[in-house]
Amino acid sequence: MNINVLLVEDDDLLAKRIANHFANTEFQLTLDNTGAQALQLVHNQINEGNPFDMAIVDVVLPATDGLNLAKELNTLTDIGVIMLSSRDTQADRIAGLAQGADDYVCKPVDLLELELRMRALYKRIAGSKGEDESEEFIEYADFKLHPDNRTLINPHGDEARLTEAEHKVLICLIANAGKATSRAKISEEIGQPDWSPSDRTVDVLIGRLRKKLGDEKEQKRIVTVRGKGYMLST
């Protein structure tokens, strides 16, 4: 089994270290050292019937902005995205996740940590796809969610592809519909139990879900319950 990975990193030394580390593993890396060819490479792999499973993207690139590239990748295809950055603040991590990234690894990169995060992400991606995609939807109130390909259809009939993290959050809220779910519980469900209660990452994911659900000021499907967390309403 090969796991296809697009590595977008302009630091040649780091890119070489990463490539050497994964040389004898199931991870097959394709390198773009500027970001200029990333979208074309993704298109080519899709056309060849061998799409990338995930992308590792540096935040700062010569030819493009890594955050915008992550957003475009998620718009283009169902791909897991891990951001690499030398900036280690909550605001930076939130910015990455807000653009559709699934994980965020800080530089200097610990290669073992990166491998473990890649394996965890691939496990979640493979689990969400399943062996065979069904045509069944999870229906709740006035929206539908396809659990295999993470497609959300809002009340207006608009379709949106959820990132892995967004999908996990929505599934957690559906499972606990009608009662408040804490940020800590949501963090645990999406595989990030070490996030502190003050971490705003969950709030960012909720904000993205609200947009994709078509929430409006007058009618919100995800309600904030002060001091307790979030609740999916009917």
Side-chain angles (χ1 to χ4, degrees), residues 121-142:
L121 176 57
Y122 181 73
K123 184 177 180 180
R124 296 200 301 271
I125 292 171
S128 69
K129 290 180 179 178
E131 293 297 324
D132 297 295
E133 287 193 0
S134 70
E135 295 300 322
E136 295 184 3
F137 287 87
I138 296 174
E139 298 188 30
Y140 185 85
D142 49 4

Side-chain angles (χ1 to χ4, degrees), residues 15 17 20 38 66 88 100 126 134-135 137 139 150 152 170 181 224:
R17 286 181 58 225
N20 289 340
D88 182 18
S134 70
E135 295 300 322
F137 287 87
E139 298 188 30
R150 306 200 305 265
L152 176 68
L170 185 54
T181 305
T224 302

Side-chain angles (χ1 to χ4, degrees), residues 58-124:
D58 192 0
V59 170
V60 180
L61 294 166
T64 185
D65 179 85
L67 295 177
N68 288 333
L69 177 57
K71 183 177 181 179
E72 290 183 79
L73 287 172
N74 268 288
T75 302
L76 177 64
T77 183
D78 185 14
I79 189 172
V81 178
I82 297 177
M83 303 299 301
L84 298 181
S85 177
S86 57
R87 294 176 289 197
D88 182 18
T89 68
Q90 179 176 306
D92 292 320
R93 187 176 69 198
I94 287 174
L97 294 174
Q99 295 296 348
D102 294 281
D103 208 342
Y104 193 97
V105 175
C106 295
K107 295 180 178 181
V109 176
D110 183 300
L111 294 178
L112 180 56
E113 177 190 359
L114 177 61
E115 180 178 347
L116 292 174
R117 288 178 180 269
M118 289 169 63
R119 292 189 182 281
L121 176 57
Y122 181 73
K123 184 177 180 180
R124 296 200 301 271

